Amino acid sequence: MTSEDLDAWVAAQKKLPRPPTDEELAAFREFLEAPESDVWLHAKKLGALYINPFEKSRVDIFWFVLGDAVNNLTSQNDKLAELVLKLQRLPDGKGVLGPEPWWSDLPYFNNFWTEWMQFQFDDLPESSRDFETHRQANINRNAFLAKLTARMGNVVDLDQRERGGQTLKQALERTPVSEANILAAEPWIAYCADSLYERSLQGGPMSWEHPHNGTNWGTQKGWSKARWQYWRKRFQEISNAAKVKEDVRNVAKECAERMEEVEKTRG
């Protein structure tokens, strides 16, 4: 599939082991082709297709379609994040699953992301035939989640900081430096630096922190101000590393400066 080829992307969805129906796929394509100002209208239309008791709902299919769009349709990233935010706020479907609106806790979203999306890029060698495609998809996924987190408010199901922490660990606690992982970490600092710093100050366990993950951080697991400062220092070091490409060094420099700004502001 060539970059941003919507016809090819739609055709690929039809070949999935459990594909969306023609109605579901037509509604999703209509959303993709619409202006961002119309996301609310398309959220209502798409959302209505899945409001059923769980045993009858095909919401798992929706998440697969949305996830594939996040991976492959880079130009749609803002709009895809906006769609999820609008779905979560839909007032429709009260009484189907309980007293709250059907989409209020984004049914199966976090389960889907952990099982099918989270670890797609882990340790993928640069010699891989599809490395560049996977590299961009990984950046897209992290940008999408960071945008949700930046606007989460009090909605726990939109809080993706644990996934952000995982990305920052992969980018900054391993050697040699993975330029692809630095680029994937950048959206978390760009959109969520304040929120991630607050989470670091709170402390506590960090998800997906297992012995086999490998880290240069040390033995103190979990969120902490010290770990945040270690990440900032690593961004600074990478920004001055001659072997790292200039565009990646610039990204690392901007991240380090943003983190330092947050520390100075928050203390």
Side-chain angles (χ1 to χ4, degrees), residues 199-201 203-204 206 217 220 222-229:
R199 182 68 187 88
S200 298
L201 294 180
M206 184 181 289
W217 158 238
Q220 182 188 354
W223 295 91
S224 66
K225 183 176 180 179
R227 196 170 202 168
W228 164 276
Q229 291 173 331

Side-chain angles (χ1 to χ4, degrees), residues 182-254:
I182 296 295
L183 295 175
E186 185 271 339
W188 289 103
I189 303 302
Y191 291 101
C192 303
D194 286 284
S195 182
L196 286 167
Y197 185 59
E198 179 182 344
R199 182 68 187 88
S200 298
L201 294 180
Q202 290 172 350
M206 184 181 289
S207 298
W208 303 293
E209 195 153 33
H210 309 296
H212 64 269
N213 288 158
T215 176
N216 296 327
W217 158 238
T219 59
Q220 182 188 354
K221 294 184 178 181
W223 295 91
S224 66
K225 183 176 180 179
R227 196 170 202 168
W228 164 276
Q229 291 173 331
Y230 174 81
W231 290 343
R232 173 172 53 75
K233 180 181 177 182
R234 288 292 295 133
F235 273 130
Q236 290 170 334
E237 292 171 350
I238 293 164
S239 73
N240 294 312
K243 293 183 179 180
V244 175
K245 292 178 183 176
E246 183 178 4
D247 62 325
V248 179
R249 292 202 308 268
N250 290 337
V251 164
K253 183 175 183 290
E254 291 171 3

